[in-house]
Each structure stands twice: as structure tokens, then as C-alpha cells.
Amino acid sequence: MFFNKFINLKNQGCIRSKFKQMVLDRILEITSEIISDEATQVVEFLYSNPGASEFDISEGIGFSVSQVRSILYDLKAKNLIDYDRKKDKEKGWYLYYWRVLPQNFETVYKNEKRTKLEQFKERLDTEENSMFYICPNFCKRLSFEEALENNFTCPVCGSLMNEENKTRKIEILKRNIKEHQEFLEETNA
């Protein structure tokens, strides 16, 4: 949705720097949430320097080449970036030149939200329909069956385990479910 407007403006040839900055800010926000803060630095560098190699990125942001490669693979796995591969004529190695795919960020973000929503629903079901016991020293959290096998004593410290009050966890899960559902409804996902 947000990026479709960007693509339409790009096709019309009337991109303004303020709008480009808005797009970059949104891309970095999404990257931070679904990958990592370190990945935002790589994405920001690539957004400004399309076609950069991992060596260029490493030098530009001060990360090791292996750290940059790891981040690039994470971004590529989510289809947020792509590359062109060219063979170095002197060494015979393949070099990869990376670029950001801004049009994919919103779709990937919505898919991540859908996945999280399903995980929250599954966890809520487990929390509401299962009984757990917890060590007073917070060593272990055991299901009823596991606690029964251990005679309701902590296998780490030997303390008597208590039934866990899951009210707060359930409230948090319900709030997360509601937030994710509202986001997906707002974006017509």
C-alpha cells in the first residue's frame, strides 16, 4: 500500500527527496522489527548505494565482511534485497552486487504479522488450556505432567513448585492478538 504509491510516483518520474526519505524511514522501521537493528544499517547503505558489494558495504558501515554476509543472507531469505552476480575475471570468483527491493517490504511485513498472529493464538490456546507449575526461584516452568513426574519439586533447586498464575500472560497475549488483528484489518491483508 505505502510502497505502491512510491512505485506509481517513481513511474511518473516525480519522486521528491522528502518522499524518498519517508520510504526509507518505513523500510528501516520494518527491517528493525523483522530482522535486526544491525540490518537497518545494511539496508540504509544499500538504499543509498544500489549495486554495492559486501566489501563495499563492510567498508561503508564498519562491519566485518562475514557479519555483512550474514545480514545479507537474512534479508535475501525474506526477499527484501536481491543481487546481480558477476565473475571476477582475474580471480575467477563470483562477486555479488546487492540492491534493496522497496516494493517487497510491506508484503513481507504483513506476512510476518500474520505469522506472529497465528503464533500468539496458538500460545494463548496453550496457556488457557494447560496448567503450569513454576519454581519460586524461577529456575523452571513445568507442565502439570512434568511437575507430577518431579513430585512438584523443582528439578534444579529442589524447591516446592507452585501453580502459575497465568492471568498477566493471557492478558498480554490477547492484547498482542488484538493489535495484530487490527493492523491486518487496517491494511486489508
Side-chain angles (χ1 to χ4, degrees):
M1 148 182 98
F2 181 80
F3 292 106
N4 290 342
K5 292 177 188 174
F6 169 75
I7 299 303
N8 290 338
L9 287 174
K10 182 177 180 182
N11 292 340
Q12 295 172 14
C14 59
I15 297 175
R16 293 193 170 85
S17 63
K18 186 173 182 180
F19 190 75
K20 282 178 88 173
Q21 186 59 48
M22 287 172 47
V23 170
L24 177 59
D25 290 347
R26 181 68 179 141
I27 286 172
L28 296 178
E29 179 184 329
I30 290 170
T31 303
S32 177
E33 188 170 330
I34 66 175
I35 307 283
S36 69
D37 289 334
E38 291 81 14
T40 61
Q41 294 178 55
V42 172
V43 169
E44 186 171 18
F45 184 87
L46 282 176
Y47 191 79
S48 302
N49 303 284
S53 72
E54 60 260 37
F55 303 105
D56 299 331
I57 299 165
S58 173
E59 186 177 310
I61 63 174
F63 288 4
S64 70
V65 173
S66 63
Q67 188 178 9
V68 168
R69 283 184 183 140
S70 176
I71 292 169
L72 290 170
Y73 298 149
D74 291 343
L75 291 164
K76 175 66 176 141
K78 295 203 183 284
N79 201 29
L80 298 173
I81 61 172
D82 205 4
Y83 60 84
D84 294 313
R85 186 176 84 159
K86 295 182 182 172
K87 193 169 188 171
D88 183 310
K89 294 186 192 250
E90 290 177 23
K91 297 180 183 176
W93 297 344
Y94 284 104
L95 297 175
Y96 295 85
Y97 299 95
W98 299 87
R99 65 187 176 282
V100 175
L101 301 173
Q103 68 276 13
N104 293 1
F105 278 76
E106 283 294 337
T107 303
V108 169
Y109 187 60
K110 288 177 192 176
N111 290 339
E112 291 285 323
K113 288 286 190 181
R114 276 189 212 98
T115 301
K116 274 294 214 194
L117 175 61
E118 291 308 312
Q119 290 172 345
F120 286 140
K121 285 179 177 180
E122 289 173 15
R123 178 116 184 260
L124 177 64
D125 183 57
T126 300
E127 293 295 332
E128 287 180 328
N129 297 311
S130 301
M131 190 179 296
F132 291 95
Y133 285 80
I134 191 159
C135 171
N137 299 320
F138 303 103
C139 299
K140 281 278 193 181
R141 179 181 192 237
L142 303 175
S143 68
F144 174 78
E145 295 80 14
E146 293 169 323
L148 185 61
E149 288 173 12
N150 287 291
N151 295 320
F152 298 93
T153 57
C154 176
V156 175
C157 70
S159 298
L160 185 62
M161 299 188 84
N162 302 312
E163 184 177 347
E164 181 181 26
N165 181 351
K166 301 177 291 181
T167 306
R168 180 89 173 114
K169 279 185 183 178
I170 290 171
E171 286 173 8
I172 291 169
L173 286 168
K174 285 180 178 178
R175 185 174 62 237
N176 286 336
I177 289 169
K178 182 180 177 194
E179 288 172 3
H180 280 68
Q181 285 174 330
E182 287 173 355
F183 171 82
L184 291 169
E185 287 169 8
E186 286 173 12
T187 58
N188 299 322

